[in-house]
Amino acid sequence: MNFEHLIQINDPLNPFVESMTREQVWEGLLLRVEQPQLFVIGLDRCVILSREGDVLERELHYGPEAVVRDRVTLTPESSVRCDILPTAHYVGGSLTMAIEQPDELQLFLRFTYATTLPVADDANASADVLQTQEIVKSAYREADIDTVRVIRQLAHGRKDVGPLH
């Protein structure tokens, strides 16, 4: 299943939304790479195993038993790509978070997922497959909205931002 969506960061037509700079969003994405437990519900800790240039390998610890390894590729000031390394217990997949700035006033963050979940656009797909796909998409959207919320809080000086769990 492939899924992508866009979150508007700056809205020049809405004075109630505090604007952020591209640099603030980028710093927030870097923090999500270095301290993902601030952004990901259920993630207890992150261990960075290696760092070579703009590529990091990490272990993400979810509780005492579940450990997921991923490779993070940074495109400075532009995007972060996280590739989950497949194992016998975990399927592979990827998430790309890309900053888009069509003009001086607008700023967006595009989230693109590629997973091994079955695609439910087949006319013969069961109701369970369709429902599972919608649940996963909704969970991704909510997690990404939380990511933007935390980045926004940090960009505007909130020091009391804690983990989401």
Side-chain angles (χ1 to χ4, degrees):
M1 176 183 83
N2 295 323
F3 172 64
E4 76 175 44
H5 68 105
L6 202 59
I7 295 179
Q8 187 168 15
I9 304 297
N10 292 344
D11 182 355
L13 301 177
N14 185 349
F16 298 107
V17 175
E18 290 183 274
S19 292
M20 288 193 290
T21 65
R22 182 183 193 100
E23 293 75 25
Q24 287 172 315
V25 174
W26 177 247
E27 289 298 319
L29 292 178
L30 289 179
L31 184 64
R32 191 177 189 283
V33 168
E34 299 281 342
Q35 296 180 42
Q37 62 276 19
L38 293 174
F39 298 85
V40 179
I41 293 175
L43 179 61
D44 296 323
R45 66 187 175 103
C46 169
V47 178
I48 296 177
L49 302 172
S50 69
R51 185 185 311 255
E52 291 185 32
D54 291 328
V55 178
L56 294 85
E57 290 215 11
R58 311 180 298 182
E59 278 185 349
L60 306 171
H61 295 259
Y62 297 88
E65 309 264 334
V67 178
V68 175
R69 287 189 68 178
D70 72 356
R71 177 178 299 115
V72 179
T73 305
L74 306 173
T75 304
E77 306 290 324
S78 181
S79 69
V80 172
R81 179 182 169 104
C82 303
D83 290 293
I84 297 172
L85 305 176
T87 67
H89 302 294
Y90 300 103
V91 296
S94 68
L95 162 62
T96 301
M97 298 171 283
I99 300 170
E100 296 183 9
Q101 191 170 20
D103 59 43
E104 288 289 319
L105 298 176
Q106 297 183 82
L107 191 62
F108 297 88
L109 199 49
R110 181 176 304 274
F111 294 84
T112 305
Y113 293 87
T115 73
T116 56
L117 290 172
V119 176
D121 59 0
D122 182 334
N124 299 320
S126 72
D128 285 346
V129 170
L130 289 168
Q131 184 178 17
T132 298
Q133 181 172 299
E134 289 309 309
I135 290 169
V136 170
K137 287 179 180 180
S138 179
Y140 285 159
R141 262 189 231 97
E142 291 304 314
D144 299 337
I145 289 167
D146 282 341
T147 289
V148 171
R149 180 183 55 78
V150 171
I151 291 172
R152 190 176 298 284
Q153 288 173 341
L154 292 168
H156 294 294
R158 289 262 322 266
K159 302 296 183 203
D160 60 341
V161 176
L164 295 172
H165 58 290

